[in-house]
Amino acid sequence: MRNPINWHEKHTETLNFGSRLADAVATGMGSWKFIIVQTVLVILWMTLNIIGFFYHWDVYPFILLNLLFSTQAAYAAPIIMMSQNRQSERDRMQAQADYQTNIDAKLEIEALTLILNKLDVEKLDKIIAMLEEMKK
């Protein structure tokens, strides 16, 4: 038998293709792998343009490279913001689920407290009755 769907599964099921893609892009761009690969590509780009024997497609100050970075930043910023907005939405769902769990736990604790109090009162009544019988 399958466990009931938790808040994380509910949130994941509501994501469309664009949302999943934005999360994947934001996750990829926020990784060391991305930083290292991009650094290697930039160093390679600059080295090939500085020592290129036949053709310098982007001579110093590397205007084409700057244009590529600007384009990347123009697309990356909104994608990362979309992913952060979804993260905030997911955090709100988690907080609501935690709140509901706390309310349910509180109600159960209160019910158990009432039961325990009732048991204590019943025991005390029996003890008092036994003591009164012993007095007679």
Side-chain angles (χ1 to χ4, degrees), residues 2-14:
R2 180 165 159 63
N3 290 336
I5 295 177
N6 63 27
W7 62 268
H8 181 70
E9 290 171 341
K10 284 180 188 176
H11 174 73
T12 303
E13 287 178 356
T14 63

Side-chain angles (χ1 to χ4, degrees), residues 9-47:
E9 290 171 341
K10 284 180 188 176
H11 174 73
T12 303
E13 287 178 356
T14 63
L15 298 179
N16 59 23
F17 175 74
S19 298
R20 292 176 200 268
L21 180 63
D23 287 345
V25 169
T27 299
M29 292 184 90
S31 69
W32 276 107
K33 181 180 177 182
F34 177 80
I35 301 268
I36 291 167
V37 168
Q38 183 163 320
T39 302
V40 168
L41 290 175
V42 168
I43 291 170
L44 184 64
W45 179 288
M46 295 170 99
T47 303

Side-chain angles (χ1 to χ4, degrees), residues 58-73:
D58 190 19
V59 294
Y60 182 83
F62 309 112
I63 294 172
L64 183 57
L65 182 62
N66 284 323
L67 178 64
L68 290 173
F69 279 141
S70 297
T71 304
Q72 178 187 27

Side-chain angles (χ1 to χ4, degrees), residues 49-84:
N49 275 290
I50 290 172
I51 63 170
F53 292 111
F54 300 108
Y55 182 67
H56 301 277
W57 68 87
D58 190 19
V59 294
Y60 182 83
F62 309 112
I63 294 172
L64 183 57
L65 182 62
N66 284 323
L67 178 64
L68 290 173
F69 279 141
S70 297
T71 304
Q72 178 187 27
Y75 282 97
I79 289 172
I80 291 169
M81 288 173 58
M82 285 188 282
S83 184
Q84 287 175 338

Side-chain angles (χ1 to χ4, degrees), residues 40-128:
V40 168
L41 290 175
V42 168
I43 291 170
L44 184 64
W45 179 288
M46 295 170 99
T47 303
L48 289 174
N49 275 290
I50 290 172
I51 63 170
F53 292 111
F54 300 108
Y55 182 67
H56 301 277
W57 68 87
D58 190 19
V59 294
Y60 182 83
F62 309 112
I63 294 172
L64 183 57
L65 182 62
N66 284 323
L67 178 64
L68 290 173
F69 279 141
S70 297
T71 304
Q72 178 187 27
Y75 282 97
I79 289 172
I80 291 169
M81 288 173 58
M82 285 188 282
S83 184
Q84 287 175 338
N85 288 341
R86 262 186 306 290
Q87 178 67 37
S88 296
E89 180 184 326
R90 192 178 76 114
D91 290 346
R92 279 191 298 277
M93 288 177 71
Q94 180 181 8
Q96 182 62 38
D98 290 346
Y99 176 73
Q100 189 60 48
T101 300
N102 290 340
I103 288 175
D104 294 343
K106 178 184 176 209
L107 293 174
E108 286 183 30
I109 290 169
E110 288 173 350
L112 288 172
T113 302
L114 289 174
I115 291 170
L116 290 174
N117 286 340
K118 183 180 175 186
L119 289 174
D120 287 344
V121 168
E122 288 174 1
K123 285 180 184 178
L124 287 173
D125 287 344
K126 286 181 183 179
I127 291 171
I128 291 172

